[in-house]
């Protein structure tokens, strides 16, 4: 199976299945001399971990990592960093009942048709669990970006869950450490409560919900992104769309720009810089020094207990009700995953820019 490696200069390879022994990541191209330890990575992993608040899966994913290589006396060596997260709370019993029956909205059918077999336990490689490895790599990338870029900030927040949406918000009023205190990563407490009710309601009806996550990167240096196929937008789009359940990505004004006139869409300039940031910090695929603003559309979790029509591996008509421990909404567990893919991509481009000796 190809396609498990992402990035050119800061290169990650993730491995492992949902119900296997462990998952992990190998990071190649990490600069030497960066201080990093398991505790720092675990802190990031804890943000992705399910909470026992009824709004995510009841799986008790401990998600404690071990660094196997590439770090010596607390500093990166410049050699491959290998990080492993053991699976501790695996219960595949609910999958036995639906063995060979394709779950609508999940990757069972496409994996089976592509490979002729599939790991039916928890989605195997297509599981949300795979993203634990990305967050481990993202923790390393974030550490480097914070060291290399003065004032670098990267955060995300929940904009919408099941149609409950917060109004426009000034990013300057947002701090990551405050956002993550909210159980849904929503900066508006009142709306957060309504979002939670929406999730609980969906779950009680055997349903699930999706939503929108906004990701913001501040003080990203001007000049990152390579014409023409390796544009910063193209790579960020790929990184984010590679996350399960992400179905759309937009930058800055996004899809709404299509309804505007040129003068309404352009970011005019004065000697101090850009007057607006409808581009979302990237023009011509190159960062322009403004905030990078991205939104991702997250679909409802496919595994629902409501009865649905499907087929089995022999092509017989079947109905399916999915039991087991599932997230009724991928948000906010997906939020740190989105941040991680953005951190990895920006770092990859920063290292690329350094290699060509571009403007500082
Ligand atoms: C953090 C995270 C958690 C997820 N949890 C679940 C889950 O509990 N049950 C499920 O069916 N899908 C879950 N998903 C979604 C599936 O992984 C995803 O929908 C599936 O792989 C099909 O891929 P696609 O939606 O990108 O087409 C999760 C995804 C993420 C990123």
């Amino acid at each position: 199976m190809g396609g498990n490696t992402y990035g050119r200069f800061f290169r990650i390879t993730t491995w492992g299945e949902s119900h296997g022994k462990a998952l992990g990541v190998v990071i190649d191209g990490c600069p030497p001399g960066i201080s990093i330890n398991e505790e720092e990575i675990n802190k990031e992993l804890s943000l992705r971990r399910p909470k026992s608040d009824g709004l995510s899966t009841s799986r008790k994913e401990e998600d404690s990592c071990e660094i196997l290589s590439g770090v010596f006396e607390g500093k990166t060596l410049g050699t491959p960093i290998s990080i492993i997260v053991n699976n501790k709370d695996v219960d595949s019993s609910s999958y036995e009942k639906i063995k060979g029956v394709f779950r609508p909205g999940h990757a069972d059918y496409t994996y089976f048709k592509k490979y002729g077999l599939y790991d039916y336990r928890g989605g195997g490689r297509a599981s949300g669990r795979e993203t634990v490895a990305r967050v481990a790599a993202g923790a390393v990338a974030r550490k480097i970006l914070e060291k290399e870029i003065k004032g670098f900030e990267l955060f995300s927040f929940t904009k919408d869950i099941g149609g409950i949406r917060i109004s426009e918000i000034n990013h300057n009023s947002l701090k990551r450490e405050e956002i993550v205190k909210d159980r849904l990563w929503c900066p508006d407490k009142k709306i957060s409560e309504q979002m939670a009710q929406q999730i609980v309601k969906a779950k009680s009806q055997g349903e699930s919900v999706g939503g929108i996550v906004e990701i913001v990167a501040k003080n990203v240096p001007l000049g990152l992104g390579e014409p023409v196929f390796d544009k910063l937008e193209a790579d960020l789009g790929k990184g984010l769309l590679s996350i399960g359940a992400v179905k759309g990505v937009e930058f800055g004004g996004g899809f709404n720009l299509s309804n505007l006139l040129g003068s309404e869409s352009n970011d005019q300039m004065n000697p101090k810089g850009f007057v607006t940031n409808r581009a979302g910090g990237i023009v011509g695929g190159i960062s322009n020094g403004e905030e990078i603003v991205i939104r991702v559309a997250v679909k409802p979790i496919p595994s629902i207990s409501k009865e649905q029509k499907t087929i089995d591996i022999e092509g017989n008509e079947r109905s399916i009700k999915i039991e087991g421990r599932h997230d009724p909404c991928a948000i906010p567990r997906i939020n740190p995953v989105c941040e991680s893919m953005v951190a990895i991509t920006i770092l990859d481009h920063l290292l690329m820019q350094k290699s060509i000796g571009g403007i500082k």
Side-chain angles (χ1 to χ4, degrees):
M1 184 198 261
N4 296 287
T5 300
Y6 176 75
R8 276 150 288 212
F9 284 67
F10 187 83
R11 203 172 172 80
I12 67 160
T13 302
T14 74
W15 55 268
E17 286 83 35
S18 176
H19 287 222
K21 281 192 176 172
L23 298 106
V25 61
V26 177
I27 305 169
D28 208 357
C30 180
I34 308 292
S35 301
I36 191 82
N37 59 47
E38 288 162 357
E39 210 178 305
E40 286 168 301
I41 298 171
N42 285 341
K43 204 171 151 206
E44 285 298 314
L45 297 185
S46 74
L47 297 172
R48 199 205 71 97
R49 205 164 51 202
K51 315 277 179 301
S52 34
D53 57 5
L55 304 180
S56 55
T57 168
S58 57
R59 283 190 305 265
K60 288 183 183 54
E61 294 172 356
E62 198 181 289
D63 291 353
S64 177
C65 78
E66 195 182 341
I67 300 174
L68 299 179
S69 69
V71 178
F72 179 63
E73 293 180 338
K75 289 214 160 94
T76 57
L77 285 168
T79 56
I81 300 173
S82 192
I83 304 172
I84 186 170
V85 179
N86 287 305
N87 279 334
K88 296 219 169 121
D89 186 28
V90 176
D91 176 7
S92 309
S93 56
S94 61
Y95 288 96
E96 290 301 325
K97 292 180 208 155
I98 56 166
K99 186 177 174 182
V101 184
F102 302 128
R103 292 168 300 165
H106 224 299
D108 305 343
Y109 177 76
T110 46
Y111 268 57
F112 180 71
K113 287 292 178 188
K114 183 173 169 70
Y115 299 106
L117 76 173
Y118 72 105
D119 183 347
Y120 60 89
R121 306 159 311 155
R125 192 81 185 120
S127 164
R129 181 112 190 94
E130 178 269 336
T131 60
V132 73
R134 301 172 188 238
V135 176
V140 179
R142 183 187 283 272
K143 194 80 202 281
I144 301 167
L145 289 169
E146 284 171 356
K147 179 173 177 262
E148 293 289 313
I149 303 173
K150 198 166 167 258
F152 178 77
E153 272 184 62
L154 172 61
F155 58 83
S156 66
F157 61 91
T158 303
K159 202 170 170 67
D160 184 299
I161 287 185
I164 309 286
R165 186 170 294 208
I166 58 168
S167 39
E168 284 310 313
I169 194 156
N170 181 351
H171 293 158
N172 291 332
S173 68
L174 300 177
K175 284 274 166 249
R176 188 174 191 241
E177 57 269 28
E178 291 303 318
I179 296 169
V180 303
K181 282 183 192 161
D182 181 76
R183 60 184 176 157
L184 288 175
W185 291 42
C186 175
D188 183 325
K189 299 282 160 233
K190 222 166 125 190
I191 301 290
S192 173
E193 197 40 51
Q194 290 173 25
M195 288 172 169
Q197 283 166 16
Q198 194 77 337
I199 296 175
V200 171
K201 186 172 146 213
K203 197 178 167 188
S204 70
Q205 295 167 347
E207 282 286 4
S208 60
V209 280
I212 298 170
V213 179
E214 185 155 315
I215 307 128
V216 180
K218 288 181 169 218
N219 295 313
V220 173
L222 199 160
L224 303 191
E226 305 297 312
V228 290
F229 296 113
D230 300 336
K231 290 176 175 176
L232 189 57
E233 260 165 339
D235 282 351
L236 286 166
K238 176 172 179 167
L240 289 162
L241 284 164
S242 72
I243 304 169
V246 170
K247 284 292 165 186
V249 179
E250 62 175 19
F251 295 85
F255 272 55
N256 283 340
L257 293 179
S258 62
N259 302 325
L260 303 181
L261 295 170
S263 60
E264 295 167 330
S265 151
N266 291 341
D267 295 312
Q268 298 187 34
M269 299 187 76
N270 66 27
K272 284 187 190 150
F274 292 97
V275 180
T276 52
N277 183 23
R278 290 168 191 132
I282 306 171
V283 182
I286 299 173
S287 59
N288 65 3
E290 295 294 298
E291 263 181 11
I292 293 181
V293 182
I294 316 166
R295 277 175 300 281
V296 300
V298 181
K299 80 176 192 184
I301 290 286
S303 298
I304 52 173
S305 59
K306 195 174 199 169
E307 190 162 326
Q308 301 174 87
K309 286 205 171 98
T310 186
I311 56 168
D312 61 24
I313 54 172
E314 265 106 36
N316 302 310
E317 220 176 294
R318 300 284 294 262
S319 70
I320 188 168
K321 280 182 175 184
I322 300 161
E323 293 164 9
R325 300 171 296 173
H326 294 282
D327 295 297
C329 181
I331 299 172
R333 296 190 61 215
I334 202 169
N335 300 25
V337 184
C338 294
E339 290 178 5
S340 295
M341 291 315 294
V342 170
I344 292 162
T345 308
I346 292 176
L347 176 59
D348 196 35
H349 275 275
L350 185 74
L351 297 176
M352 218 178 304
Q353 173 74 342
K354 284 193 172 179
S355 80
I356 62 165
I359 53 161
K360 300 288 174 289

